[in-house]
Amino acid sequence: MEVITKTKAFTKGLWNSRIDVRNFIQTNLTPYEGDSSFLTGPTEATQQLWAICLEAMAYERANNGVVDIDTETISTITSHQAGYIEKSLEKIVGLQTDALLKRAMKPYGGVRIVEGAVKEKGLEMAERVKEIFNYTKDHNSGVFDAYDPEILNYRKQGVLTGLPDNYARGRIIGDYRRLALYGIDQLIEAKKADKLAINGEMTEHKIRLREEVSMQIKALEDIRTLGEMYGLQLNRPAENAQEAIQWVYMAYLAATKEQDGAAMSLGNVSAFIDIYIERDLQAGLLTEQEAQELIDHFVMKLRMIRHLRPGAYDQIFAGDPTWVTEAIGGQLTDGRTKVTKTAFRFLQTLYNLGASPEPNLTVLWSQALPEGFKNFCAKVSLDTSSIQYENDDLMRECRGTDDYGIACCVSHQEIGKRIQFFGARTNLAKTLLLAINEGKDEKDGTPILKNIPALQGEFLDYTQVMANFKLAMQQVAEVYARAMNIIHYCHDKYYYEKAQLAFIDTDPGIDIAYGAAGISIIADSLSAIRYAKVKPIRNEKGIAIDYQIEGEYPMFGNDNDKVDSLAQEVTQFFIETLKQHKTYKNANSTLSLLTITSNVMYGKMTGNTPDGRKAGEPFAPGANPMHGRDVNGAIASLNSVAKLDYRYALDGISNTMSLVPKSLGNNRNVQTENLVALLDGYFAKKAHHLNVNVLNRDMLMDAYENPEKYPQLTIRVSGYAVNFIRLTKAHQLEVITRTFHECM
Amino acid sequence: MYATDSLRIHSIESFGTHDGPGIRLVVFTQGCHFRCLYCANPDTWDLHQGSEISIDEIVRMAVAQKSFFGKKGGVTISGGEPTLQRLALLSLFKKLHAEGINAALDSNGKILNDEVKALLKETDYLLLDVKHINDEWHHLLTSVSNQSVLEVAAYREQTGKAMWLRYVLVPGYSDQEEYLHQLGEHFKHYKSIEKIEIQPYHQLGVHKWEALGKTYELAHVQPPNQECIDKTKNIFKMYFKEVVVN
Ligand code: SF4
């Protein structure tokens, strides 16, 4: 009862009469314009807990990357009993299974993949579980029943890659704050009302929706049970800061018990949580130290999220990522800042618990952010390399909301209102080679595309190549769209995200997220063909296996419009082509220029390209210029990428910048100041995203050779951060050789 | 004698953070009359090497990266020795000012005539390299006298416009305590000097000497150790309001 008498009531608003977390934030937020001086270090309990986690992670690394797997149980919201790190010390509780870092089987994405992943670790999936799939079906089987030969061929030859057709698609962000603000009972009530309103003549759409909402209600009931296992009364709203964080985490935890999507973001919870913390601080129920402890314990839990992945998965998503992406900062549409003290507290975890790739902390950068926050972000980047930046001004303008999270690495998602269908990506560089080779694979001659005219002449002719390339992109887009529709239809059918969708409006808007890899290779290749002379070397089958370049040509990454405009043109053409195709559930088609760590894999799968890149050499990550070709320094390089228009790549344009500290200036203050200026400058140019790695090449070489010395070394790779020593050796080398922007 | 609408340049660094305040577009020009024993860019000496770039293209680049400059940043012309191409620079600096972009000039102070004076009037920050306060040592290090360098400094002081001194610290050549004090004494009353930057000698340019078939005479000289740097810093602190190690 004490709580009720001491804390003041929240300001009322629309949020009281409908599910509307954004309105709650708008009416109750306390923006913070100050600096970081109020922050506190870790408590004793935090240090003890984290020491246990560090030890468990060391064991995990030593034990082939996995501590343990529950091979007996299909993971559901309620499948596992409560688990703890050290119960007496934990302010925020909840693990995915009954033990720290123990992984669970979530086989509905693809049971064979899970079975294989278990085998790789020397274990065996229980017969009982295998048996179940004699009577039911998984997403993977559904998709392959529906795929056509063309899709299979594209997939096999590496034109379409990483498609979520044998694993969970992820990317959907539940509005996990809803559990804290409303409690299970009110949420179920609202969903029941929604279901009742889906009435009248039953179209396919309505039938599906009624079934979906029913599943969501079931998930909410399960989450209530999950709470009971931990002694939490989730049926009612949270009453204080500790509960608010605990409730949010339980909602998120439920999602990660049911799903193992490639990326499962947390959303944008810091401003929401801050309202509860601020109220408790005002009432004298909480000290700053205790507030920080709550956030530290929450973040610690997020760092312990694990999914069971097969080894092959590492090829595309290296470093065992979970993408618990949390978006921090940004501005409200009414002009106030969304930065709160809790935004600082989240970043402070990188000091209190050390650097870490997860949760994937993403700062929503606005020119109008308070100076104190900008400076602190820059300082944290310099110290930990653990945060990435996205352009809040641009996204608010183009997407029309101030309440959004980042799905996976770079993709905008309005919280609770829209969802996203993940589409991995197509290899655009390979598509260009198909355009040059009459539609045949450059490596083994397999026919892939139809009716691509043979090129005439000794040298590649720009007009001919471009015309062929557009034909090729059109065919790829058509097949890509077909594949995506099949995948997401089947995912809904066999592996519906009921725990996440329970926290999202019924019948939300949908973006279908296509992707393209190799934009800088495309730009440089087309530039070479246009401004220099490129002679293809053809083998006996007439396939161009290599290229001789005579003369100079401008390269992407030097702020040269001649070549930068080629990257722009291709991006625009490709999304416009994709948009011509029908989409499942009438989703809105978007495109990303993003590779995550798969740029290494794309390199291996792609032959020599007309820009002089050799077969097997990695692509540049995301929309980055190719390694070492951006010779005019970092800003010219950033300017080239900034020219790629976000409106044509609404799913995100990823850019990764690696700097040695010295290149930012000769002392800490200057470095901080210059990093802030750099971010302001880049985003003022309407650029979308920037990873900032502030590193020392020597340190990386040392980490490569002595991984045990650097258990927490974090670097940012094309949209997300990874633990360096969990990367494969090939990826580590790739990171080291990537352009370091050093001054003369 | 030289073009007024274009520059011969060695290279461009769009993300310069060590040549003047803030983030800067740094253009390294071609051509130098000094022959510093430690020169890290001997490939800039020959005025006829390098490539040609129009003034307008530099202005375009500067405008394109203006959003990165913040309150302090701008354009710096370094070298080589920029004042060899003073007429083109004068026109460049005027155009930059018309765009609201500040201009810094990194010079060895070899030339002081009416044209250079006009250029200095358009220069927001003069980064003046004082290689040695003692003329004999200056001669030994650079093959020329420091007379003109001191004259440029005196002229700059007269105009009252901002100046940073830059001092390359070479063990055995420019780290003698008496001369460090002498340098401090010489400049201590200058009001235009905002700071002095110590640039510890390094050997990163040696391979260029080899590539050009020139003998690098300082091969035996190691970069200054921390003690040497600290000593120099402490001496300079007695005379200058800000001392920075670059
Ligand atoms: S003044 Fe500069 S460019 Fe000229 S020789 Fe000396 S160090 Fe080299």
Side-chain angles (χ1 to χ4, degrees):
Chain A
M1 280 297 99
E2 197 191 33
V3 173
I4 290 158
T5 51
K6 270 190 174 175
T7 50
K8 76 177 200 318
F10 291 127
T11 306
K12 286 200 168 15
L14 285 172
W15 64 273
N16 296 97
S17 51
R18 63 179 197 209
I19 306 290
D20 190 345
V21 180
R22 177 175 178 266
N23 177 259
F24 171 75
I25 294 171
Q26 301 260 327
T27 44
N28 286 282
L29 186 76
T30 310
Y32 179 68
E33 307 261 353
D35 63 18
S36 61
S37 54
F38 72 92
L39 289 166
T40 59
T43 60
E44 185 85 26
T46 302
Q47 285 171 327
Q48 284 178 30
L49 281 171
W50 185 238
I52 299 172
C53 294
L54 282 176
E55 202 181 309
M57 288 193 289
Y59 177 74
E60 185 180 48
R61 272 195 307 279
N63 197 38
N64 196 13
V66 167
V67 167
D68 192 9
I69 303 170
D70 179 353
T71 58
E72 296 290 327
T73 319
I74 293 179
S75 184
T76 67
I77 299 169
T78 54
S79 57
H80 290 84
Q81 287 304 308
Y84 298 92
I85 301 173
E86 171 51 62
K87 195 174 175 183
S88 62
L89 299 173
E90 289 171 77
K91 289 287 183 325
I92 303 298
V93 294
L95 295 176
Q96 286 166 294
T97 62
D98 51 10
L100 184 60
L101 299 187
K102 185 196 227 178
R103 299 186 194 217
M105 302 189 299
K106 286 156 246 180
Y108 289 101
V111 69
R112 278 200 304 274
I113 296 279
V114 173
E115 209 183 320
V118 173
K119 259 208 187 82
E120 280 172 22
K121 308 296 176 190
L123 296 167
E124 192 64 42
M125 180 187 267
E127 284 306 322
R128 198 174 61 82
V129 177
K130 289 185 199 165
E131 168 78 2
I132 291 171
F133 283 86
N134 291 333
Y135 306 103
T136 185
K137 199 167 164 181
D138 61 14
H139 164 58
N140 175 239
S141 318
V143 172
F144 279 79
D145 281 351
Y147 267 173
D148 60 37
E150 212 170 5
I151 299 175
L152 290 171
N153 192 31
Y154 274 53
R155 202 177 169 277
K156 181 163 154 279
Q157 298 300 128
V159 181
L160 296 175
T161 56
L163 297 175
D165 55 14
N166 58 12
Y167 63 97
R169 62 189 169 189
R171 286 244 186 157
I172 290 170
I173 311 176
D175 186 356
Y176 305 113
R177 306 167 302 186
R178 289 184 183 187
L179 183 57
L181 188 57
Y182 298 104
I184 292 279
D185 291 351
Q186 277 187 67
L187 291 175
I188 287 182
E189 230 171 275
K191 282 292 179 187
K192 280 186 173 162
D194 283 356
K195 190 178 164 191
L196 217 56
I198 308 163
N199 52 29
E201 256 185 271
M202 279 296 121
T203 58
E204 209 182 320
H205 173 72
K206 286 186 191 172
I207 300 167
R208 187 161 45 215
L209 215 50
R210 284 183 64 87
E211 198 189 353
E212 286 176 3
V213 176
S214 299
M215 288 194 277
Q216 294 167 18
I217 294 170
K218 173 74 172 57
L220 289 168
E221 281 162 357
D222 285 349
I223 293 169
R224 178 167 35 208
T225 310
L226 173 66
E228 283 161 8
M229 291 176 176
Y230 284 95
L232 308 168
Q233 294 170 286
L234 300 180
N235 55 307
R236 59 161 174 81
E239 289 176 350
N240 56 43
Q242 183 272 329
E243 285 191 1
I245 297 170
Q246 180 69 69
W247 270 220
V248 168
Y249 175 57
M250 275 292 143
Y252 179 73
L253 183 66
T256 65
K257 285 163 79 70
E258 183 196 271
Q259 290 280 333
D260 53 2
M264 295 179 69
S265 296
L266 179 63
N268 189 330
V269 305
S270 73
F272 174 79
I273 289 172
D274 188 77
I275 294 170
Y276 290 82
I277 292 181
E278 199 53 38
R279 188 173 69 155
D280 285 2
L281 286 169
Q282 294 291 329
L285 295 171
L286 202 66
T287 63
E288 178 54 40
Q289 182 95 64
E290 287 164 342
Q292 184 65 48
E293 184 179 56
L294 290 174
I295 300 296
D296 286 345
H297 288 205
F298 180 29
V299 164
M300 200 184 304
K301 285 291 182 330
L302 298 173
R303 290 185 181 193
M304 293 300 114
I305 297 288
R306 291 292 184 278
H307 298 298
L308 180 58
R309 310 284 194 206
Y313 189 92
D314 223 41
Q315 282 263 311
I316 332 173
F317 305 125
D320 199 10
T322 47
W323 283 290
V324 186
T325 305
E326 164 66 2
I328 295 174
Q331 297 291 107
L332 293 169
T333 27
D334 66 18
R336 288 181 297 158
T337 185
K338 227 172 150 176
V339 171
T340 60
K341 282 190 170 178
T342 301
F344 282 81
R345 293 182 187 111
F346 265 88
L347 296 179
Q348 176 74 358
T349 62
L350 293 166
Y351 294 107
N352 289 356
L353 306 176
S356 168
E358 303 282 357
N360 182 14
L361 298 178
T362 303
V363 170
L364 304 178
W365 190 271
S366 163
Q367 305 291 316
L369 284 180
E371 286 304 314
F373 187 64
K374 283 184 178 177
N375 289 334
F376 188 56
C377 290
K379 177 180 178 300
V380 176
S381 269
L382 285 162
D383 289 337
T384 70
S385 290
S386 294
I387 43 182
Q388 63 170 352
Y389 298 89
E390 298 211 21
N391 192 341
D392 177 58
D393 295 326
L394 180 70
M395 287 187 285
R396 255 185 298 114
E397 181 194 319
C398 295
R399 310 300 289 267
T401 175
D402 56 11
D403 191 34
Y404 61 94
I406 299 300
C408 182
C409 318
V410 298
S411 309
H412 178 285
Q413 199 168 116
E414 186 174 3
I415 300 281
K417 306 280 171 194
R418 295 187 74 82
I419 62 165
Q420 188 183 55
F421 288 160
F422 172 52
R425 54 202 51 83
T426 181
N427 183 341
L428 220 46
K430 192 158 185 112
T431 307
L432 177 65
L433 298 182
L434 292 172
I436 292 171
N437 290 312
E438 296 172 70
K440 292 187 206 116
D441 190 287
E442 79 284 0
K443 298 188 101 164
D444 58 16
T446 305
I448 301 175
L449 306 184
K450 294 183 283 254
N451 304 325
I452 303 289
L455 294 172
Q456 308 300 325
E458 192 188 351
F459 296 97
L460 294 178
D461 172 73
Y462 175 73
T463 316
Q464 275 183 44
V465 170
M466 197 61 166
N468 274 10
F469 186 36
K470 286 185 174 173
L471 280 177
M473 281 193 279
Q474 280 164 340
Q475 282 185 46
V476 168
E478 194 202 321
V479 177
Y480 195 178
R482 280 205 310 258
M484 287 288 277
N485 287 343
I486 290 171
I487 289 167
H488 292 288
Y489 176 90
C490 288
H491 202 290
D492 275 354
K493 193 168 169 186
Y494 297 106
Y495 201 12
Y496 181 73
E497 293 92 340
K498 55 185 185 297
Q500 283 154 290
L501 273 303
F503 297 106
I504 292 171
D505 288 2
T506 299
D507 208 8
I510 304 173
D511 292 320
I512 195 159
Y514 295 103
I519 192 69
S520 49
I521 295 175
I522 299 288
D524 287 355
S525 295
L526 292 173
S527 174
I529 294 167
R530 188 169 189 174
Y531 299 108
K533 291 179 106 179
V534 179
K535 184 176 166 184
I537 313 294
R538 298 190 180 268
N539 68 9
E540 64 286 355
K541 289 188 209 149
I543 291 176
I545 48 166
D546 203 1
Y547 302 89
Q548 273 173 11
I549 307 172
E550 292 169 21
E552 306 262 302
Y553 63 96
M555 295 180 197
F556 186 67
N558 296 295
D559 196 5
N560 185 320
D561 284 339
K562 277 180 164 178
V563 50
D564 298 349
S565 62
L566 296 171
Q568 291 167 274
E569 185 185 341
V570 169
T571 306
Q572 184 179 351
F573 181 85
F574 193 50
I575 182 61
E576 283 174 354
T577 306
L578 284 162
K579 273 183 178 293
Q580 286 165 9
H581 298 280
K582 275 211 167 66
T583 56
Y584 168 62
K585 282 190 170 177
N586 283 324
N588 171 47
S589 301
T590 62
L591 177 69
S592 68
L593 301 175
L594 172 75
T595 56
I596 317 181
T597 46
S598 52
N599 58 312
V600 175
M601 180 266 295
Y602 286 115
K604 286 188 189 145
M605 292 169 70
T606 309
N608 292 327
T609 41
D611 59 333
R613 178 197 142 275
K614 289 294 156 210
E617 277 176 25
F619 287 18
N624 272 59
M626 283 296 281
H627 312 175
R629 294 189 192 162
D630 41 355
V631 295
N632 285 343
I635 290 186
S637 174
L638 291 175
N639 271 348
S640 282
V641 181
K643 286 180 206 168
L644 294 165
D645 193 332
Y646 178 60
R647 288 170 306 156
Y648 299 125
L650 284 175
D651 197 53
I653 301 166
S654 173
N655 192 5
T656 300
M657 185 184 194
S658 295
L659 297 156
V660 291
K662 186 91 168 70
S663 70
L664 277 163
N666 48 27
N667 67 56
R668 249 316 138 98
N669 286 342
V670 174
Q671 288 167 4
T672 308
E673 208 177 276
N674 283 340
L675 185 51
V676 170
L678 187 108
L679 289 163
D680 272 340
Y682 187 53
F683 291 132
K685 306 214 73 146
K686 295 192 181 274
H688 179 234
H689 162 265
L690 192 66
N691 273 320
V692 179
N693 275 328
V694 185
L695 297 166
N696 211 307
R697 195 197 295 264
D698 296 341
M699 181 169 92
L700 283 188
M701 279 316 294
D702 195 38
Y704 176 79
E705 271 144 29
N706 310 295
E708 66 289 347
K709 277 166 64 186
Y710 299 87
Q712 279 186 272
L713 175 62
T714 298
I715 52 152
R716 303 218 55 105
V717 183
S718 187
Y720 81 108
V722 292
N723 188 260
F724 182 76
I725 61 168
R726 278 159 76 177
L727 288 174
T728 61
K729 287 282 169 189
H731 279 119
Q732 291 181 359
L733 271 187
E734 201 267 331
V735 168
I736 294 169
T737 50
R738 179 179 305 160
T739 317
F740 270 87
H741 288 288
E742 278 175 88
C743 279
M744 293 186 64
Chain B
M1 152 171 134
Y2 301 113
T4 56
D5 57 355
S6 68
L7 282 176
R8 284 211 77 79
I9 64 162
H10 170 267
S11 58
I12 287 176
E13 169 57 57
S14 59
F15 186 47
T17 54
H18 290 83
D19 299 287
I23 292 178
R24 310 191 69 82
L25 173 67
V26 184
V27 180
F28 297 89
T29 59
Q30 199 65 29
C32 184
H33 289 163
F34 277 33
R35 288 293 174 265
C36 301
L37 296 179
Y38 51 71
C39 181
N41 298 311
D43 48 346
T44 63
W45 288 351
D46 184 347
L47 185 59
H48 305 289
Q49 295 293 309
S51 59
E52 181 129 345
I53 183 170
S54 74
I55 295 301
D56 289 340
E57 174 59 11
I58 297 173
V59 174
R60 186 202 66 79
M61 289 184 76
V63 170
Q65 72 173 81
K66 198 175 167 185
S67 68
F68 293 86
F69 293 154
K71 293 184 192 83
K72 298 178 173 177
V75 173
T76 296
I77 307 298
S78 182
E81 174 48 36
T83 55
L84 295 183
Q85 304 182 64
R86 51 200 169 268
L87 290 180
L89 289 182
L90 181 61
S91 123
L92 170 66
F93 282 13
K94 282 183 174 162
K95 286 185 175 178
L96 289 174
H97 284 150
E99 297 287 349
I101 296 169
N102 76 57
L105 181 73
D106 181 2
S107 171
N108 62 18
K110 176 75 174 70
I111 310 166
L112 184 66
N113 57 23
D114 286 350
E115 287 168 4
V116 170
K117 284 181 181 172
L119 176 62
L120 287 176
K121 265 206 198 94
E122 285 292 326
T123 301
D124 302 292
Y125 300 90
L126 172 65
L127 316 182
L128 184 67
D129 303 297
V130 181
K131 314 270 184 186
H132 212 290
I133 194 66
N134 176 279
D135 200 27
E136 273 172 45
W137 277 100
H138 195 276
H139 232 282
L140 182 80
L141 269 172
T142 69
S143 83
V144 295
S145 159
N146 69 8
Q147 193 62 34
S148 63
V149 185
L150 301 180
E151 279 169 25
V152 168
Y155 173 74
R156 186 68 173 174
E157 174 68 7
Q158 242 178 53
T159 65
K161 299 192 72 157
M163 167 160 63
W164 297 8
L165 298 186
R166 320 189 92 182
Y167 191 75
V168 181
L169 185 64
V170 192
Y173 288 80
S174 62
D175 65 340
Q176 309 93 332
E177 282 184 37
E178 45 172 325
Y179 293 129
L180 295 174
H181 282 288
Q182 197 181 323
L183 186 141
E185 288 293 338
H186 183 92
F187 288 113
K188 71 177 178 194
H189 295 304
Y190 275 56
K191 292 195 181 59
S192 57
I193 297 175
E194 292 181 351
K195 65 171 87 168
I196 182 162
E197 294 181 322
I198 299 167
Q199 300 179 303
Y201 160 78
H202 61 76
Q203 296 196 335
L204 299 179
V206 177
H207 66 280
K208 295 187 186 174
W209 288 69
E210 285 159 8
L212 292 165
K214 297 185 200 292
T215 318
Y216 189 73
E217 288 179 37
L218 296 189
H220 61 287
V221 179
Q222 289 307 305
N225 56 24
Q226 198 55 44
E227 192 189 337
C228 175
I229 294 170
D230 288 344
K231 178 199 73 180
T232 309
K233 195 172 170 183
N234 288 333
I235 293 175
F236 282 169
K237 272 190 174 158
M238 298 161 68
Y239 305 98
F240 300 97
K241 52 181 177 246
E242 195 182 343
V243 184
V244 177
V245 180
N246 231 344

